[in-house]
Amino acid sequence: MSFIQQAYLGKNDWWRYLLTFFLMLFGWQVIGIIPITVVAYVKAGNLGTFMEAAENAFAGLGINANLYLFLILLMFILGLYFLFLGVKYIHQRAFKTVITSRESIDFNRVIFAFLLWGGISILFFVLGYIAEPELYTWNFRPVPFLILLILSFTLLPFQTSFEEILFRGYAMQGFGLWFKNALMPLILTSVIFGLLHGFNPEVEKLGQIVMVYYIGTGLMFGICTLMDEGTELALGMHAANNIIAAVLVTSDWMVFQTDALWVDTSEPSAGMETFIPVFVVYPLVLVLFSKKYNWTNWKEKLSGPVLPIQIEELDKES
């Protein structure tokens, strides 16, 4: 049974997807907003009402950078937990089935992808620093950085896992049931993933052209998931990308404004660094993965039909 077919192991009425979506949204964007709003309300004494605090919570309002990061990540943790509840109790299937088609999660794959993409991200930074060192300001402060390091390696993976399991797992499988093929889920999840990142401040600064990077990244993660029959590689790469971004370099226009080692003081612009990862690095990474994990049947896995599994197979798996 392929990864995308595993949705057949649970109950798949349309209303179950709708209810799970709203349950996840409730945990992520309703309950999750309460802690950061309370902190914003306490910190900003000039705000007259709690509703005003809610409207301004995501501006930071003088909140310590590490506390702010923790509160933001808490929202994603709650979103992941409520998605877990929806899959387990509304769809009535094991949560593992939206993560991998293997008997258990392959953490060796997660670690390999993490190290690979972490190394590539650091290399890109080093090359940028060598080319224009004047654009980077050393920002190391031992205590805040140590706290940031702990938060990044313990909580940031929940944020990236939430996004990967939601898009490359739950949504990919759900769209597979709907369209009965793999290509439309791959395209839709990649585009939706990119469009949701359109709310990031980077898009306002860099322009809509940066959506090429976000959609291209979603497409690459989706290809990895379909070809490898699980989200492990995407989980590792996404975690590495965000952790390196959080601890290595920050700026006043990035979504994560942290106590990173360096501050990027350059004027934001969308140059070749937007296109090189998508059109050069991602294909090379896919080739590497394909060789390491012996990927075959590309056409079938990326665009083939998603057929209902046989009843005997369903009974065996459930």
Side-chain angles (χ1 to χ4, degrees):
M1 183 195 312
S2 70
F3 174 71
I4 200 169
Q5 283 181 301
Q6 291 201 122
Y8 286 109
L9 296 176
K11 297 183 181 298
N12 296 295
D13 310 272
W14 66 268
W15 60 266
R16 295 179 190 273
Y17 281 93
L18 191 63
L19 184 58
T20 298
F21 173 76
F22 281 111
L23 180 66
M24 176 275 297
L25 207 61
F26 176 74
W28 178 27
Q29 292 290 322
V30 177
I31 297 179
I33 282 177
I34 294 174
I36 193 171
T37 303
V38 170
V39 172
Y41 182 77
V42 172
K43 289 283 185 179
N46 61 318
L47 290 177
T49 68
F50 193 79
M51 289 305 296
E52 288 175 325
E55 293 173 1
N56 291 277
F58 294 97
L61 296 175
I63 301 174
N64 173 274
N66 283 325
L67 175 58
Y68 189 69
L69 178 63
F70 169 77
L71 294 169
I72 291 293
L73 295 179
L74 182 60
M75 293 175 58
F76 289 95
I77 293 171
L78 288 167
L80 181 60
Y81 176 67
F82 277 78
L83 178 61
F84 162 79
L85 293 178
V87 171
K88 183 173 179 61
Y89 295 107
I90 297 175
H91 289 281
Q92 298 180 26
R93 63 183 172 115
F95 194 61
K96 179 189 73 70
T97 62
V98 294
I99 301 175
T100 187
S101 61
R102 300 172 182 87
E103 291 187 6
S104 59
I105 299 170
D106 188 344
F107 286 102
N108 286 331
R109 276 173 155 84
V110 177
I111 293 170
F112 177 76
F114 180 92
L115 294 176
L116 175 66
W117 194 251
I120 292 172
S121 300
I122 292 172
L123 177 61
F124 268 97
F125 169 76
V126 170
L127 293 176
Y129 184 86
I130 291 174
E132 297 177 295
E134 69 278 3
L135 299 181
Y136 299 91
T137 301
W138 182 245
N139 187 52
F140 177 66
R141 293 182 295 159
V143 174
F145 180 73
L146 178 60
I147 296 172
L148 171 63
L149 210 58
I150 294 171
L151 288 174
S152 297
F153 279 92
T154 58
L155 298 186
L156 252 176
F158 285 99
Q159 178 253 322
T160 55
S161 296
F162 168 67
E163 293 185 8
E164 289 310 309
I165 293 169
L166 175 62
F167 287 101
R168 256 61 68 178
Y170 183 71
M172 183 90 78
Q173 292 175 347
F175 284 136
L177 292 178
W178 189 2
F179 292 101
K180 298 296 188 292
N181 67 72
L183 184 59
M184 282 303 295
L186 175 62
I187 294 172
L188 283 174
T189 54
S190 302
V191 171
I192 296 171
F193 176 79
L195 292 178
L196 287 178
H197 283 78
F199 294 102
N200 287 5
E202 290 94 331
V203 177
E204 180 181 350
K205 290 290 185 179
L206 301 174
Q208 292 298 318
I209 191 66
V210 78
M211 296 303 293
V212 172
Y213 171 77
Y214 288 123
I215 294 175
T217 300
L219 184 63
M220 200 267 283
F221 289 163
I223 292 172
C224 286
T225 297
L226 291 176
M227 291 304 304
D228 202 52
E229 301 290 3
T231 64
E232 288 97 335
L233 297 178
L235 287 170
M237 286 186 290
H238 201 161
N241 183 79
N242 286 27
I243 289 173
I244 296 300
V247 304
L248 199 59
V249 60
T250 188
S251 75
D252 60 3
W253 49 269
M254 289 182 175
V255 64
F256 285 142
Q257 296 180 30
T258 64
D259 291 302
L261 291 175
W262 281 274
V263 176
D264 181 355
T265 59
S266 64
E267 187 65 26
S269 62
M272 291 303 295
E273 64 273 12
T274 301
F275 302 100
I276 289 178
V278 176
F279 297 107
V280 178
V281 180
Y282 290 171
L284 292 175
V285 169
L286 289 173
V287 170
L288 175 61
F289 284 151
S290 71
K291 299 297 183 183
K292 180 174 176 60
Y293 297 113
N294 300 313
W295 291 350
T296 57
N297 301 324
W298 286 71
K299 183 178 180 180
E300 179 183 347
K301 288 186 176 181
L302 297 181
S303 62
V306 178
L307 302 174
I309 58 177
Q310 298 298 316
I311 297 298
E312 305 83 48
E313 188 177 1
L314 179 61
D315 291 337
K316 181 180 178 181
E317 295 286 343
S318 59

